[in-house]
Amino acid sequence: MSEGTMQRRAQRDDQRARRTMRAGGLNRLLAAAAAVPVMLIAAGCSSGSDSGSGDESGAAQKSGGASASTSPSAEPTVQAAAYGALPEACGVLSKKTLTALVPKAPAKGKEGASSDTAARASCSWSSLDNNGVKGSQFRWLNVSLVRFETDAASSGEQQAQEYYAKQVQDVAATAGAKNPKSQAVAGTGDQATTVRYDLKKSEGAFKQQTVVSRVENVVVTVDYNGAGLAGDKTPDAAALVKSAELAAKEAVAAVETANGEGAGGGSSSSTPSKPSSTAPSKSPSKSPSASASASAAKKS
Protein backbone atom coordinates (compact mmCIF):
# COMPACT_ATOMS: atom_id res chain seq x y z
CA MET A 1 0.00 0.00 0.00
CA SER A 2 1.38 3.38 -0.97
CA GLU A 3 2.01 6.09 1.57
CA GLY A 4 -0.62 8.35 -0.01
CA THR A 5 -3.33 5.72 0.31
CA MET A 6 -2.54 5.17 3.97
CA GLN A 7 -2.79 8.91 4.68
CA ARG A 8 -6.20 9.16 2.99
CA ARG A 9 -7.52 6.17 5.00
CA ALA A 10 -6.31 7.69 8.25
CA GLN A 11 -8.05 10.96 7.38
CA ARG A 12 -11.31 9.10 6.66
CA ASP A 13 -11.08 7.20 9.97
CA ASP A 14 -10.41 10.44 11.82
CA GLN A 15 -13.43 12.12 10.20
CA ARG A 16 -15.62 9.10 10.97
CA ALA A 17 -14.60 9.19 14.65
CA ARG A 18 -15.39 12.89 14.92
CA ARG A 19 -18.80 12.38 13.36
CA THR A 20 -19.51 9.58 15.84
CA MET A 21 -18.48 11.77 18.78
CA ARG A 22 -20.63 14.64 17.57
CA ALA A 23 -23.63 12.32 17.11
CA GLY A 24 -23.19 10.87 20.60
CA GLY A 25 -23.03 14.33 22.17
CA LEU A 26 -26.12 15.45 20.31
CA ASN A 27 -28.04 12.36 21.45
CA ARG A 28 -27.13 13.00 25.07
CA LEU A 29 -28.21 16.63 24.72
CA LEU A 30 -31.53 15.64 23.21
CA ALA A 31 -32.11 13.05 25.97
CA ALA A 32 -31.40 15.64 28.63
CA ALA A 33 -33.68 18.16 26.96
CA ALA A 34 -36.49 15.59 26.74
CA ALA A 35 -36.18 14.76 30.43
CA VAL A 36 -36.84 18.36 31.53
CA PRO A 37 -40.54 18.51 30.42
CA VAL A 38 -41.16 15.10 31.98
CA MET A 39 -39.87 16.38 35.32
CA LEU A 40 -41.92 19.58 34.99
CA ILE A 41 -45.07 17.62 34.15
CA ALA A 42 -44.51 15.28 37.11
CA ALA A 43 -43.98 18.23 39.43
CA GLY A 44 -47.07 19.92 38.08
CA CYS A 45 -49.20 16.81 38.63
CA SER A 46 -47.87 16.39 42.13
CA SER A 47 -48.59 20.02 42.95
CA GLY A 48 -52.07 19.82 41.46
CA SER A 49 -52.83 16.65 43.41
CA ASP A 50 -51.80 18.21 46.71
CA SER A 51 -53.79 21.34 45.98
CA GLY A 52 -56.89 19.37 45.08
CA SER A 53 -56.59 17.24 48.21
CA GLY A 54 -56.30 20.34 50.34
CA ASP A 55 -59.30 21.90 48.66
CA GLU A 56 -61.33 18.74 49.15
CA SER A 57 -60.25 18.53 52.80
CA GLY A 58 -61.13 22.18 53.36
CA ALA A 59 -64.45 21.71 51.62
CA ALA A 60 -65.15 18.64 53.76
CA GLN A 61 -64.31 20.59 56.92
CA LYS A 62 -66.52 23.46 55.80
CA SER A 63 -69.30 21.06 54.92
CA GLY A 64 -68.94 19.26 58.26
CA GLY A 65 -68.92 22.55 60.15
CA ALA A 66 -71.99 23.75 58.32
CA SER A 67 -73.74 20.46 59.01
CA ALA A 68 -72.85 20.62 62.69
CA SER A 69 -73.97 24.21 63.01
CA THR A 70 -77.22 23.74 61.15
CA SER A 71 -78.28 20.46 62.79
CA PRO A 72 -81.09 21.22 65.27
CA SER A 73 -80.32 20.72 68.95
CA ALA A 74 -82.53 18.37 70.96
CA GLU A 75 -85.41 20.33 72.43
CA PRO A 76 -86.03 19.77 76.17
CA THR A 77 -89.20 17.87 76.93
CA VAL A 78 -91.54 18.63 79.81
CA GLN A 79 -92.15 15.65 82.06
CA ALA A 80 -95.58 14.12 81.60
CA ALA A 81 -97.99 14.19 84.53
CA ALA A 82 -97.82 11.01 86.62
CA TYR A 83 -101.49 10.89 87.58
CA GLY A 84 -104.35 11.32 85.15
CA ALA A 85 -107.33 10.65 87.44
CA LEU A 86 -108.87 11.62 90.75
CA PRO A 87 -110.89 9.34 93.01
CA GLU A 88 -114.46 10.20 93.94
CA ALA A 89 -114.01 12.83 96.61
CA CYS A 90 -116.82 11.56 98.85
CA GLY A 91 -115.34 8.06 98.79
CA VAL A 92 -111.72 8.75 99.79
CA LEU A 93 -112.31 8.18 103.53
CA SER A 94 -113.32 4.93 105.19
CA LYS A 95 -116.52 4.59 107.18
CA LYS A 96 -114.45 4.04 110.31
CA THR A 97 -112.58 7.30 109.85
CA LEU A 98 -115.75 9.27 109.13
CA THR A 99 -117.43 7.84 112.23
CA ALA A 100 -114.49 8.91 114.37
CA LEU A 101 -114.14 12.40 112.91
CA VAL A 102 -117.76 13.38 112.15
CA PRO A 103 -119.92 10.92 114.12
CA LYS A 104 -123.22 12.68 113.51
CA ALA A 105 -122.71 13.46 109.85
CA PRO A 106 -124.94 11.88 107.16
CA ALA A 107 -123.60 8.66 105.68
CA LYS A 108 -122.89 10.40 102.39
CA GLY A 109 -120.92 13.63 102.28
CA LYS A 110 -121.83 16.75 100.36
CA GLU A 111 -120.03 16.86 97.06
CA GLY A 112 -118.60 20.24 96.06
CA ALA A 113 -119.45 21.86 92.76
CA SER A 114 -116.94 21.26 89.96
CA SER A 115 -117.04 21.63 86.19
CA ASP A 116 -114.38 18.95 85.80
CA THR A 117 -114.14 16.32 88.54
CA ALA A 118 -111.08 14.78 86.86
CA ALA A 119 -109.18 17.98 87.68
CA ARG A 120 -110.89 19.30 90.83
CA ALA A 121 -113.19 17.65 93.34
CA SER A 122 -114.20 18.06 96.98
CA CYS A 123 -116.52 16.66 99.63
CA SER A 124 -117.55 17.86 103.07
CA TRP A 125 -119.21 16.44 106.18
CA SER A 126 -120.81 18.35 109.04
CA SER A 127 -121.52 16.85 112.47
CA LEU A 128 -123.33 18.34 115.49
CA ASP A 129 -123.48 16.17 118.58
CA ASN A 130 -126.11 17.76 120.80
CA ASN A 131 -125.73 17.04 124.51
CA GLY A 132 -128.76 19.04 125.67
CA VAL A 133 -128.07 21.45 128.50
CA LYS A 134 -124.41 20.49 128.44
CA GLY A 135 -124.04 22.03 125.03
CA SER A 136 -122.91 20.35 121.83
CA GLN A 137 -119.83 19.36 119.93
CA PHE A 138 -119.46 20.59 116.38
CA ARG A 139 -117.14 19.07 113.77
CA TRP A 140 -116.64 19.98 110.13
CA LEU A 141 -114.51 18.02 107.67
CA ASN A 142 -113.64 18.85 104.08
CA VAL A 143 -111.42 17.03 101.57
CA SER A 144 -110.30 18.88 98.44
CA LEU A 145 -108.45 17.26 95.51
CA VAL A 146 -106.75 19.25 92.76
CA ARG A 147 -104.89 17.63 89.86
CA PHE A 148 -102.53 19.51 87.55
CA GLU A 149 -101.81 18.52 83.96
CA THR A 150 -98.50 19.13 82.20
CA ASP A 151 -98.48 21.98 79.68
CA ALA A 152 -95.87 23.54 77.41
CA ALA A 153 -94.51 25.75 80.19
CA SER A 154 -94.20 23.39 83.14
CA SER A 155 -94.91 19.87 84.33
CA GLY A 156 -97.96 18.91 86.33
CA GLU A 157 -95.73 18.06 89.29
CA GLN A 158 -94.07 21.49 89.22
CA GLN A 159 -97.46 23.21 89.17
CA ALA A 160 -98.60 21.03 92.06
CA GLN A 161 -95.51 21.97 94.06
CA GLU A 162 -96.22 25.66 93.55
CA TYR A 163 -99.88 25.25 94.47
CA TYR A 164 -98.94 23.22 97.55
CA ALA A 165 -96.58 25.93 98.81
CA LYS A 166 -99.19 28.64 98.22
CA GLN A 167 -101.87 26.64 100.02
CA VAL A 168 -99.69 26.30 103.11
CA GLN A 169 -98.93 30.03 103.10
CA ASP A 170 -102.54 31.06 102.58
CA VAL A 171 -103.86 28.81 105.35
CA ALA A 172 -101.32 30.22 107.82
CA ALA A 173 -102.39 33.74 106.80
CA THR A 174 -106.15 33.16 107.31
CA ALA A 175 -107.86 36.29 108.57
CA GLY A 176 -108.50 36.11 112.31
CA ALA A 177 -106.21 33.10 112.84
CA LYS A 178 -104.58 33.11 116.27
CA ASN A 179 -101.45 31.24 117.28
CA PRO A 180 -100.85 29.62 113.87
CA LYS A 181 -98.39 26.74 113.93
CA SER A 182 -97.03 24.66 111.07
CA GLN A 183 -95.38 21.27 111.15
CA ALA A 184 -94.23 18.78 108.54
CA VAL A 185 -96.05 15.46 108.26
CA ALA A 186 -94.20 12.26 107.42
CA GLY A 187 -95.53 9.35 105.40
CA THR A 188 -98.20 11.35 103.59
CA GLY A 189 -97.48 11.64 99.88
CA ASP A 190 -94.38 13.44 98.65
CA GLN A 191 -94.94 16.52 100.83
CA ALA A 192 -97.29 17.30 103.67
CA THR A 193 -97.71 20.12 106.17
CA THR A 194 -100.20 20.64 108.98
CA VAL A 195 -101.24 24.18 109.82
CA ARG A 196 -103.25 24.66 113.03
CA TYR A 197 -104.67 27.78 114.62
CA ASP A 198 -107.45 29.07 116.86
CA LEU A 199 -110.39 31.01 115.47
CA LYS A 200 -112.77 32.93 117.70
CA LYS A 201 -116.33 33.15 116.34
CA SER A 202 -119.61 34.29 117.80
CA GLU A 203 -120.70 30.63 118.13
CA GLY A 204 -117.63 29.63 120.09
CA ALA A 205 -113.87 28.98 119.99
CA PHE A 206 -112.94 26.92 116.97
CA LYS A 207 -109.84 24.77 116.63
CA GLN A 208 -108.81 24.61 112.97
CA GLN A 209 -106.50 21.98 111.47
CA THR A 210 -105.54 21.97 107.79
CA VAL A 211 -103.31 19.30 106.29
CA VAL A 212 -101.96 20.13 102.83
CA SER A 213 -100.40 17.16 101.01
CA ARG A 214 -98.92 16.64 97.58
CA VAL A 215 -98.53 13.33 95.80
CA GLU A 216 -97.00 13.64 92.32
CA ASN A 217 -99.18 16.16 90.41
CA VAL A 218 -102.13 16.08 92.84
CA VAL A 219 -102.64 18.27 95.92
CA VAL A 220 -104.91 17.03 98.71
CA THR A 221 -106.18 19.49 101.32
CA VAL A 222 -107.97 18.24 104.44
CA ASP A 223 -109.72 20.85 106.61
CA TYR A 224 -110.96 19.72 110.00
CA ASN A 225 -112.26 21.97 112.72
CA GLY A 226 -114.10 21.51 115.95
CA ALA A 227 -115.76 23.62 118.64
CA GLY A 228 -117.64 23.21 121.89
CA LEU A 229 -120.92 25.12 121.51
CA ALA A 230 -123.51 26.32 124.00
CA GLY A 231 -121.21 25.85 126.94
CA ASP A 232 -119.59 22.56 125.99
CA LYS A 233 -115.80 22.35 126.38
CA THR A 234 -113.40 23.21 123.61
CA PRO A 235 -112.02 20.06 121.94
CA ASP A 236 -108.39 19.06 122.38
CA ALA A 237 -106.35 20.52 119.51
CA ALA A 238 -103.77 17.70 119.57
CA ALA A 239 -106.51 15.08 119.12
CA LEU A 240 -108.01 17.04 116.23
CA VAL A 241 -104.60 17.32 114.53
CA LYS A 242 -104.07 13.58 114.81
CA SER A 243 -107.48 12.92 113.26
CA ALA A 244 -106.88 15.38 110.41
CA GLU A 245 -103.55 13.81 109.57
CA LEU A 246 -105.13 10.34 109.55
CA ALA A 247 -107.74 11.57 107.07
CA ALA A 248 -105.01 13.10 104.89
CA LYS A 249 -103.12 9.81 104.73
CA GLU A 250 -106.26 7.98 103.61
CA ALA A 251 -107.07 10.59 100.98
CA VAL A 252 -103.55 10.44 99.53
CA ALA A 253 -103.74 6.63 99.46
CA ALA A 254 -107.06 6.89 97.58
CA VAL A 255 -105.40 9.09 94.93
CA GLU A 256 -102.60 6.55 94.49
CA THR A 257 -105.08 3.68 94.25
CA ALA A 258 -107.17 5.53 91.66
CA ASN A 259 -104.05 5.68 89.50
CA GLY A 260 -103.08 2.04 89.90
CA GLU A 261 -100.70 2.34 92.84
CA GLY A 262 -100.68 1.57 96.54
CA ALA A 263 -103.12 -0.83 98.13
CA GLY A 264 -105.27 -0.92 95.03
CA GLY A 265 -102.89 -3.14 93.07
CA GLY A 266 -99.27 -2.14 93.37
CA SER A 267 -97.24 0.03 91.09
CA SER A 268 -98.74 0.53 87.68
CA SER A 269 -96.70 0.63 84.49
CA SER A 270 -99.69 1.36 82.29
CA THR A 271 -100.48 4.77 80.92
CA PRO A 272 -102.77 6.76 83.22
CA SER A 273 -106.27 7.53 82.12
CA LYS A 274 -106.77 10.34 79.65
CA PRO A 275 -106.25 13.71 81.33
CA SER A 276 -108.94 16.31 81.37
CA SER A 277 -108.81 19.02 78.76
CA THR A 278 -109.39 21.76 81.29
CA ALA A 279 -106.45 22.62 83.54
CA PRO A 280 -107.41 23.30 87.16
CA SER A 281 -107.24 26.77 88.56
CA LYS A 282 -104.07 27.60 90.46
CA SER A 283 -105.88 29.71 93.05
CA PRO A 284 -106.21 28.02 96.48
CA SER A 285 -109.53 26.73 97.70
CA LYS A 286 -111.59 29.02 99.89
CA SER A 287 -110.95 28.74 103.61
CA PRO A 288 -113.61 26.55 105.26
CA SER A 289 -113.90 28.64 108.41
CA ALA A 290 -116.87 30.66 107.18
CA SER A 291 -118.76 27.57 106.06
CA ALA A 292 -118.02 25.82 109.31
CA SER A 293 -119.26 28.75 111.37
CA ALA A 294 -122.42 29.09 109.28
CA SER A 295 -123.23 25.41 109.69
CA ALA A 296 -122.62 25.58 113.39
CA ALA A 297 -124.85 28.64 113.73
CA LYS A 298 -127.72 26.93 111.91
CA LYS A 299 -127.56 23.72 113.93
CA SER A 300 -126.78 25.14 117.37
Side-chain angles (χ1 to χ4, degrees):
M1 182 180 294
S2 65
E3 182 178 356
T5 302
M6 293 177 62
Q7 290 180 348
R8 287 193 296 272
R9 181 177 295 180
Q11 290 176 353
R12 287 196 300 270
D13 292 339
D14 181 66
Q15 291 174 355
R16 189 182 295 110
R18 289 182 180 181
R19 286 197 298 270
T20 301
M21 290 177 63
R22 286 198 297 271
L26 179 60
N27 289 337
R28 287 194 296 272
L29 180 61
L30 292 175
V36 172
V38 173
M39 294 175 62
L40 292 176
I41 292 172
C45 291
S46 175
S47 175
S49 176
D50 291 342
S51 176
S53 176
D55 291 344
E56 289 175 2
S57 176
Q61 291 179 357
K62 291 180 180 179
S63 176
S67 177
S69 61
T70 57
S71 59
S73 58
E75 295 183 359
T77 57
V78 181
Q79 182 181 2
Y83 292 161
L86 289 178
E88 183 183 355
C90 291
V92 297
L93 301 180
S94 66
K95 182 178 180 181
K96 180 180 178 181
T97 298
L98 290 173
T99 300
L101 273 63
V102 282
K104 298 299 181 180
K108 185 173 178 60
K110 182 180 180 182
E111 186 176 357
S114 175
S115 60
D116 185 2
T117 55
R120 181 184 293 273
S122 64
C123 191
S124 62
W125 297 263
S126 182
S127 171
L128 184 65
D129 188 3
N130 194 339
N131 297 313
V133 295
K134 295 181 179 180
S136 59
Q137 285 291 321
F138 173 77
R139 300 288 187 274
W140 186 79
L141 174 65
N142 184 78
V143 177
S144 173
L145 311 170
V146 182
R147 185 183 65 84
F148 294 88
E149 185 56 49
T150 293
D151 57 28
S154 58
S155 68
E157 183 175 358
Q158 181 180 349
Q159 295 176 54
Q161 289 174 345
E162 295 172 355
Y163 180 78
Y164 164 85
K166 191 173 189 305
Q167 277 283 77
V168 173
Q169 294 177 355
D170 288 350
V171 172
T174 299
K178 295 182 179 180
N179 305 318
K181 298 177 182 179
S182 300
Q183 63 185 41
V185 183
T188 307
D190 298 310
Q191 294 175 282
T193 300
T194 296
V195 181
R196 53 188 285 191
Y197 56 85
D198 298 332
L199 193 63
K200 183 69 175 178
K201 306 293 289 186
S202 59
E203 298 86 0
F206 285 78
K207 296 289 184 179
Q208 172 70 38
Q209 288 66 226
T210 299
V211 184
V212 184
S213 309
R214 180 189 68 81
V215 55
E216 297 290 356
N217 57 308
V218 175
V219 176
V220 178
T221 303
V222 172
D223 291 298
Y224 185 50
N225 63 36
L229 306 179
D232 205 346
K233 64 180 182 180
T234 300
D236 179 57
L240 295 179
V241 167
K242 185 177 180 180
S243 296
E245 291 178 352
L246 173 64
K249 289 179 187 293
E250 283 194 18
V252 166
V255 172
E256 294 173 336
T257 300
N259 288 276
E261 296 182 0
S267 178
S268 173
S269 59
S270 61
T271 305
S273 59
K274 185 178 180 180
S276 62
S277 58
T278 305
S281 169
K282 295 185 180 181
S283 58
S285 57
K286 186 177 180 181
S287 174
S289 303
S291 299
S293 301
S295 298
K298 290 180 180 179
K299 296 189 177 183
S300 59

